[in-house]
Amino acid sequence: MYSPPKELYIPDTMARRFLISAMILLLTFGLFREGESQTLPFRSYSIEQGLSESVARELLQDQNGYIWIGTGYGLNRFDGTRFKSYYQRNGLNDNQINALFEDHEGRLWIGTDSGINVMENDSIRSHPSLEGLKRYVIDSIYRDHQGEWWFGTEGAGVWLWDNNRQLTQYSSVHGLAGNRVREISQDEEGTLWFATDQGLTSLESGNFKTYTRDHGLPHEELHDLEVGEDGRIWLATERGISIWDGSDFTSFGTEEGLIANSVLSISLQGNGRAWVGTESGAARFENGRFRNYTTGEGLTSNIVYSTLIDREGHAWLGTLGGGANLFLGEYFYNFTVDDGLSSNVITSFVEDREGNLWIASYGGGVIRYDGEEFESYFVEDGLADNKVYTLFKDPQNRIWIGTAVGISLIENGKLQPSPEPFSSLNSVRRFFKDPDNGDFWIATYNDGLFRYDGEELTQYTEEDVLENNTVMSIQKDRQGRLWLGTYGGVTVLDNGEFTTYSTEHGLPSNGVIKVYLDQNDRAWFATFNGFARFNDGQIETFESSFGLSETISYFMFQDDREKMWIGTNIGLVRFDYEKYRQADSELERDLSFRLLTKDQGLIANEMNAGAVYRDGSGSFWLGSVEGISRFFPEQLPEYTTPPLVHLEEVIVGGEMAQPGERKIFSHDQNFVQFEFTGISFDAPENILFEYRMSGVDEEWTRGYDRRVRYPSLSPGEYHFQVRAYNSSGVKSDFLSGFEFDIRQPLWFQWWFLVLMACFIIAAIFFIYHYYRVRRMVEIERMRVQIASDLHDDVGSSLTELALQTDFIRTGNLEEAVEETLKQIGDHSRRIVSALDDIVWSIDARNDTIGDLTDRMQDHVNRLFSAANVQVDYNFSGLEMNESLPVQIKENLYLIFKEAINNIAKHSNADHIAISLQMSQNKFRLNVTDNGTLRTDKRKSGQGLRNMNMRAKRIGANVDIEDEQGFQVTVEGSLHL
């Protein structure tokens, strides 16, 4: 191991003694971080993140991808970003959870300190047939190949719940090794295996068989059991792990490298690999060797109760007091002041010939790391300033140190002051040695650029060639061009000519922090507004859905697979340029980026300007504001397992709705909010979602938000769909969705429109009928009034006139005068008679069928009262109180009257038959006699013409016959 010169060591012996005492004290309490002090990407979830308790006793991943964590105080469901907790108030028998099992129907079986619970559709219940187990602590649950259930208890053996819903107890008296059954499983041949506190027991063909130390077990107390894909039985014992292959036990413990013998949990990862949890940390077993992990590597607790390998291959570790830990891989190794750094703000790196890594820090001087320990050097050790910006190793293996107030040099293991002519330079940001001509370039903050050709120091500033005096980066390409990253853009020195590219030429920002030349000698620029690439004289910029153009890019580097990496203020971004260039859509361009943050093990999301270095082993050292991440890009896994996507919550009109079958909502429930989750535990915060709503969205909408709102939806049919992409760009296999209808408002419903149409029609009809009736009433009143006036005034006057003529005739008058008076009187009486018919027809009080028949009979009686004539009436079936239209009543009566008058005047009949029938809105009047026409019959035919005329008025037909007696028949409709 390389040792620095004595001049660099801390001379304070009292401090050394204190340090040694502190180490002994830490070792005594088991807290000292042994070996290589570095933190690995362990992500922890405890009370601070929403876990109900920090003791994670049991772990399970269900078929929907959720992680279930059973604790000493409640059950927790985790989707990668949010916990949902369940307690006794939610239906649990007890808050202490010891066992979890998911059946083929997706139901979760929960073993507690007070028996069994079942969760289905987010509802927890107790099964009536298992009430007897409430007095037992349930340590394990298993459903065998026959569908029968086994429940292992703490001290009461194992209980079989068969398909007949009967409970049977088996204990040590039946052949079980011990009465505490911590785990149960079954191999492919159907043999059941029980891990107990007194050994391993198998159940085959109804027979128990127990294995103990006498059979090769390292210890009888077993904590866990797993059946491998090859049928081997893996056991977690008090003396390491043990594997039963059907004939022998093969055991591994501390002698084989396991961190501790007391193994509490074991989970298989395939191909003979396993993760084990012990009382002193966790271990990964592969190819017969162990890789141990403790709090020194990032575990939150060394007591690991439970283990789980999820569907993506991650290892979950449930701890005592540290919650659940998720191990992502060994691609980041992190260092902070807790590991020996003098400052967490790291600005630069360089490696010397001896393999020591030198680290520049802001405020913590310069640090040397030999692979095991950190040693820091400050102003008191000869450093120009503790604020160090950059480090550079020249061909002579000298380390140049640029600080805020000068330059220092490490040569031959000693700190040296700045050599001339560099002693006056401050705020040095970069050193560069031109390999072609040996020129030494120095970039400064505010003082421009300096070149030393071995004899003279030349300064370049805004006054001559630069656009800005702050120069942050220097690179030289294979064509001999010198690239300068400044706060005024990118300046290129080519054959003595300076050319500057700025925002006017497409640069995303004039603040250029780093210029990087990739393996193909292409220039890339890290700026205050994202990054860019120089491509055939043009500047090419890039954008992603997480807003790279709005982030600060501090540095860039390229890995062996030619992927670009950008250190930013939001994390470390991987960029696949070829994938981006060949992308056919915005989505494909988005998927060419991958963001690594603290959630994936990065020490901090904010990097530092230019703070990246590739060491001799090929790993990259990244400086941040919170420490160092050593990065191994080739170890970063690509996650090919599609994420699972679920609708977590649907709120419609302020009320919860359960996803499922199609729902129907009212028109005022038109505010819809969806909350969804994508389950991929590598980078849950970086899952990209695509969603759309048929009827609203024409295209898919992308983003990282897990909530979307649709306000003021119009009535119609809708289908919301969402899918997810994990951090590697793998799309979920299926869409999660919700179908629903928003009904039209009441006033737009078809039945309402029909009802309103009917109402309007009814209203119109009512109004029409109302005014019609009112008009009819008014007309009837008018008719009555007219009839009364005619009868009282005109009729009385005519009658009086007739009487006056009769009175005058009683005197001695000339014959001509008397004849005239007689004619006046007769004429007045005929008028009164005709007027009487008119008054009768006008009078609304005479509108019934009964009034018509009475009038007909009255007329017949007046004409034939003195004659010997028999009259027969046929009015059967008539509704006498039924009203008749005035025109029909009047004209029908006058036709009848004309017919009777003709019989009286021109027939010698002694029998008359009168019939009036009405049915189905039709009427039929028939008048018949048995007489013959007298010889004095008039030839004018005026009466017959009158009858035909009146029949036409009411749309009736009249038929008159006089061959065998006189007969008149009138037929027509009651509706005009």
Side-chain angles (χ1 to χ4, degrees):
M1 182 181 71
Y2 173 79
S3 298
K6 187 174 181 180
E7 289 86 342
L8 300 181
Y9 287 159
I10 302 175
D12 190 344
T13 56
M14 291 296 293
R16 287 182 175 277
R17 292 174 183 173
F18 174 80
L19 181 61
I20 294 172
S21 300
M23 289 181 180
I24 296 173
L25 182 64
L26 289 170
L27 285 169
T28 303
F29 285 94
L31 298 176
F32 182 69
R33 293 180 175 177
E34 55 184 341
E36 190 174 330
S37 292
Q38 50 199 4
T39 304
L40 294 171
F42 281 97
R43 190 188 303 160
S44 64
Y45 300 102
S46 191
I47 295 174
E48 295 80 6
Q49 289 76 34
L51 192 65
S52 62
E53 195 199 41
S54 60
V55 180
R57 295 179 173 273
E58 186 71 5
L59 296 168
L60 178 142
Q61 186 173 35
D62 67 19
Q63 61 192 22
N64 292 317
Y66 295 106
I67 298 292
W68 293 86
I69 305 174
T71 73
Y73 182 66
L75 176 66
N76 302 264
R77 191 194 75 177
F78 185 51
D79 65 1
T81 61
R82 186 174 63 177
F83 284 95
K84 185 175 183 180
S85 300
Y86 303 84
Y87 306 95
Q88 281 183 282
R89 63 176 177 268
N90 303 112
L92 288 174
N93 292 343
D94 193 278
N95 281 329
Q96 177 145 324
I97 311 300
N98 306 309
L100 296 171
F101 185 89
E102 186 186 26
D103 62 21
H104 296 305
E105 291 79 27
R107 296 173 298 186
L108 187 67
W109 295 72
I110 308 161
T112 76
D113 269 9
S114 300
I116 302 290
N117 287 114
V118 182
M119 174 180 284
E120 187 173 13
N121 297 325
D122 207 40
S123 177
I124 299 175
R125 59 183 174 86
S126 297
H127 201 288
S129 300
L130 302 177
E131 289 294 310
L133 296 180
K134 280 191 173 182
R135 53 186 174 149
Y136 300 111
V137 174
I138 305 300
D139 274 347
S140 54
I141 304 172
Y142 187 76
R143 190 181 191 182
D144 64 23
H145 298 167
Q146 288 72 42
E148 296 182 322
W149 289 90
W150 297 83
F151 305 111
T153 70
E154 184 179 324
V158 65
W159 292 78
L160 168 65
W161 189 40
D162 60 30
N163 291 324
N164 295 320
R165 297 296 186 258
Q166 298 295 319
L167 276 172
T168 305
Q169 183 183 21
Y170 297 95
S171 63
S172 56
V173 298
H174 302 94
L176 201 63
N179 287 328
R180 182 169 188 179
V181 181
R182 289 180 169 131
E183 192 55 64
I184 309 166
S185 192
Q186 190 174 26
D187 60 26
E188 289 296 327
E189 284 73 31
T191 301
L192 282 163
W193 296 88
F194 305 89
T196 80
D197 59 343
Q198 296 296 321
L200 175 67
T201 297
S202 65
L203 176 59
E204 184 178 8
S205 301
N207 298 313
F208 286 106
K209 182 179 180 180
T210 293
Y211 301 85
T212 63
R213 295 191 202 193
D214 295 337
H215 301 88
L217 262 179
H219 199 280
E220 281 85 2
E221 186 166 356
L222 308 181
H223 295 281
D224 200 3
L225 175 154
E226 284 273 341
V227 178
E229 295 175 354
D230 55 3
R232 294 188 298 171
I233 311 301
W234 295 64
L235 302 168
T237 81
E238 275 292 309
R239 289 292 181 270
I241 64 172
S242 189
I243 305 171
W244 169 254
D245 61 7
S247 58
D248 296 300
F249 287 98
T250 303
S251 300
F252 303 87
T254 53
E255 293 182 359
E256 288 74 29
L258 184 61
I259 193 169
N261 276 331
S262 181
V263 181
L264 305 178
S265 178
I266 187 168
S267 292
L268 303 183
Q269 203 168 11
N271 298 322
R273 297 175 298 163
W275 277 84
V276 296
T278 77
E279 290 187 348
S280 300
R284 186 179 63 195
F285 180 74
E286 186 173 3
N287 298 325
R289 302 179 64 183
F290 290 98
R291 169 69 164 98
N292 297 315
Y293 304 90
T294 66
T295 53
E297 284 75 35
L299 268 178
T300 52
S301 171
N302 282 334
I303 300 178
V304 181
Y305 273 151
S306 53
T307 54
L308 169 72
I309 308 300
D310 69 18
R311 58 192 295 272
E312 295 175 293
H314 301 127
W316 292 77
L317 309 171
T319 71
L320 172 65
N325 286 237
L326 172 61
F327 182 68
L328 298 170
E330 297 197 24
Y331 48 87
F332 280 125
Y333 289 81
N334 295 325
F335 306 87
T336 67
V337 291
D338 295 334
D339 303 297
L341 292 178
S342 54
S343 171
N344 278 335
V345 183
I346 305 301
T347 55
S348 185
F349 306 90
V350 73
E351 189 177 22
D352 64 22
R353 291 176 183 173
E354 290 76 22
N356 297 306
L357 184 74
W358 293 85
I359 304 164
S361 73
Y362 188 81
V366 65
I367 309 161
R368 191 192 66 169
Y369 179 57
D370 61 8
E372 294 184 2
E373 295 180 349
F374 293 98
E375 189 166 7
S376 300
Y377 305 95
F378 304 100
V379 171
E380 51 265 35
D381 300 305
L383 192 63
D385 191 80
N386 287 336
K387 298 175 183 178
V388 182
Y389 293 127
T390 187
L391 299 174
F392 175 75
K393 184 187 74 172
D394 65 16
Q396 290 76 41
N397 199 33
R398 295 178 298 180
I399 307 297
W400 291 76
I401 306 170
T403 75
V405 293
I407 297 174
S408 293
L409 196 67
I410 296 179
E411 185 175 10
N412 298 324
K414 297 181 180 180
L415 271 171
Q416 304 285 350
S418 174
E420 292 294 338
F422 310 114
S423 58
S424 61
L425 301 185
N426 294 320
S427 296
V428 175
R429 292 307 178 106
R430 285 293 175 269
F431 298 100
F432 177 74
K433 184 80 169 180
D434 192 325
D436 297 325
N437 54 29
D439 287 349
F440 193 54
W441 296 83
I442 301 173
T444 70
Y445 197 95
N446 286 332
D447 290 330
L449 179 68
F450 294 86
R451 185 184 69 175
Y452 181 65
D453 60 5
E455 296 180 358
E456 184 180 3
L457 186 68
T458 305
Q459 183 180 13
Y460 301 90
T461 66
E462 297 174 3
E463 296 179 358
D464 38 47
V465 295
L466 297 180
E467 294 294 330
N468 191 283
N469 283 336
T470 296
V471 183
M472 299 292 292
S473 180
I474 309 173
Q475 293 288 334
K476 188 174 185 179
D477 64 19
R478 297 169 192 166
Q479 300 178 45
R481 295 176 297 183
L482 198 69
W483 295 80
L484 308 174
T486 80
Y487 279 7
V490 176
T491 298
V492 182
L493 174 58
D494 186 11
N495 294 323
E497 296 290 332
F498 287 88
T499 304
T500 298
Y501 298 91
S502 66
T503 54
E504 295 179 359
H505 304 88
L507 202 63
S509 170
N510 284 337
V512 179
I513 301 173
K514 176 72 175 178
V515 176
Y516 178 78
L517 299 176
D518 66 17
Q519 297 169 16
N520 296 311
D521 206 37
R522 293 169 299 200
W524 296 76
F525 314 124
T527 80
F528 279 103
N529 288 322
F531 67 99
R533 180 184 129 160
F534 192 76
N535 188 13
D536 295 330
Q538 302 294 320
I539 294 177
E540 187 177 5
T541 58
F542 309 96
E543 181 56 272
S544 75
S545 57
F546 48 80
L548 272 179
S549 63
E550 300 172 359
T551 64
I552 303 174
S553 296
Y554 290 113
F555 57 74
M556 308 181 74
F557 64 91
Q558 192 175 35
D559 63 21
D560 292 336
R561 292 173 292 186
E562 296 192 0
K563 300 295 189 298
M564 295 298 300
W565 293 86
I566 304 98
T568 74
N569 62 333
I570 61 171
L572 183 65
V573 177
R574 187 185 71 181
F575 177 53
D576 188 334
Y577 175 76
E578 289 302 318
K579 186 175 181 179
Y580 185 94
R581 185 177 61 85
Q582 298 172 12
D584 294 326
S585 66
E586 188 176 342
L587 171 64
E588 292 179 356
R589 286 193 291 271
D590 278 342
L591 297 179
S592 64
F593 295 90
R594 181 175 179 181
L595 176 65
L596 303 183
T597 66
K598 291 180 70 173
D599 286 336
Q600 287 75 57
L602 191 64
I603 190 64
N605 288 340
E606 184 169 3
M607 301 290 102
N608 254 336
V612 61
Y613 183 78
R614 181 169 186 169
D615 64 17
S617 67
S619 65
F620 292 88
W621 295 79
L622 314 177
S624 78
V625 297
E626 297 180 33
I628 299 171
S629 284
R630 187 181 185 186
F631 181 42
F632 297 85
E634 70 280 359
Q635 298 294 329
L636 182 69
E638 295 293 332
Y639 294 97
T640 58
T641 303
L644 298 172
V645 61
H646 303 289
L647 276 179
E648 289 284 295
E649 186 175 272
V650 180
I651 299 177
V652 182
E655 298 181 1
M656 294 287 295
Q658 289 298 325
E661 61 183 27
R662 195 178 193 95
K663 302 291 194 307
I664 299 176
F665 303 104
S666 63
H667 74 281
D668 57 350
Q669 292 179 296
N670 62 348
F671 179 89
V672 183
Q673 175 177 298
F674 299 99
E675 187 167 335
F676 37 83
T677 187
I679 300 183
S680 173
F681 292 100
D682 162 56
E685 297 293 343
N686 296 329
I687 292 176
L688 180 65
F689 294 97
E690 276 194 321
Y691 59 85
R692 69 180 176 187
M693 176 94 84
S694 62
V696 178
D697 303 318
E698 295 183 1
E699 302 290 340
W700 290 90
T701 300
R702 286 183 305 281
Y704 295 92
D705 290 337
R706 295 170 178 250
R707 181 178 298 166
V708 61
R709 298 179 177 90
Y710 291 91
S712 303
L713 290 175
S714 302
E717 298 180 355
Y718 296 97
H719 187 191
F720 179 78
Q721 294 175 303
V722 60
R723 60 192 180 198
Y725 296 82
N726 69 8
S727 62
S728 297
V730 179
K731 181 175 66 175
S732 54
D733 285 335
F734 64 91
L735 296 169
S736 185
F738 182 70
E739 295 183 76
F740 64 101
D741 298 336
I742 295 180
R743 292 179 299 193
Q744 293 281 357
L746 179 66
W747 47 92
F748 284 148
Q749 296 283 341
W750 69 266
W751 59 267
F752 183 82
L753 293 175
V754 172
L755 183 63
M756 289 304 298
C758 293
F759 174 78
I760 292 171
I761 293 171
I764 293 172
F765 178 78
F766 172 79
I767 294 171
Y768 169 77
H769 183 70
Y770 172 79
Y771 283 103
R772 179 174 173 272
V773 170
R774 184 174 177 182
R775 181 63 177 165
M776 289 175 64
V777 170
E778 291 177 354
I779 291 173
E780 288 181 358
R781 289 176 180 170
M782 185 182 298
R783 287 169 57 200
V784 171
Q785 182 67 38
I786 293 172
S788 298
D789 292 345
L790 288 173
H791 181 271
D792 294 341
D793 296 337
V794 179
S796 299
S797 298
L798 290 172
T799 301
E800 184 178 353
L801 178 61
L803 290 175
Q804 287 293 333
T805 59
D806 289 342
F807 177 74
I808 295 172
R809 285 175 60 199
T810 58
N812 294 320
L813 299 173
E814 295 180 2
E815 182 177 352
V817 174
E818 183 178 356
E819 182 62 27
T820 299
L821 290 174
K822 180 178 180 300
Q823 289 178 0
I824 293 172
D826 292 340
H827 192 62
S828 297
R829 288 183 177 89
R830 283 194 302 272
I831 292 174
V832 169
S833 177
L835 184 62
D836 186 54
D837 287 338
I838 294 172
V839 169
W840 175 83
S841 63
I842 291 175
D843 197 337
R845 292 170 293 187
N846 301 322
D847 283 349
T848 65
I849 295 175
D851 294 325
L852 174 60
T853 57
D854 288 346
R855 185 74 174 179
M856 292 166 63
Q857 292 178 73
D858 289 344
H859 184 66
V860 170
N861 290 337
R862 282 197 304 271
L863 287 181
F864 298 104
S865 60
N868 187 16
V869 177
Q870 180 182 351
V871 181
D872 293 332
Y873 298 97
N874 181 11
F875 297 150
S876 60
L878 296 178
E879 294 291 337
M880 295 302 180
N881 292 323
E882 185 176 344
S883 295
L884 281 173
V886 176
Q887 283 184 294
I888 292 177
K889 179 192 73 168
E890 177 185 5
N891 287 284
L892 193 59
Y893 171 71
L894 292 176
I895 292 171
F896 167 79
K897 184 179 179 181
E898 192 69 39
I900 294 299
N901 288 342
N902 281 338
I903 292 173
K905 292 179 180 179
H906 306 294
S907 177
N908 56 3
D910 60 1
H911 183 270
I912 302 172
I914 301 171
S915 173
L916 179 62
Q917 301 296 321
M918 295 184 185
S919 63
Q920 298 180 349
N921 294 324
K922 294 183 179 300
F923 66 86
R924 186 176 188 274
L925 173 65
N926 184 265
V927 180
T928 306
D929 69 4
N930 61 351
T932 58
L933 291 176
R934 295 200 297 266
T935 57
D936 59 349
K937 176 180 176 183
R938 296 180 62 184
K939 302 297 183 180
S940 67
Q942 184 66 36
L944 298 179
R945 285 195 296 271
N946 288 339
M947 283 191 283
N948 283 320
M949 179 190 65
R950 296 188 184 281
K952 287 181 180 180
R953 286 180 180 176
I954 59 175
N957 296 319
V958 61
D959 185 24
I960 303 172
E961 296 181 5
D962 58 2
E963 296 298 327
Q964 296 179 352
F966 183 75
Q967 178 174 299
V968 177
T969 303
V970 184
E971 293 180 313
S973 173
L974 291 172
H975 297 295
L976 295 178

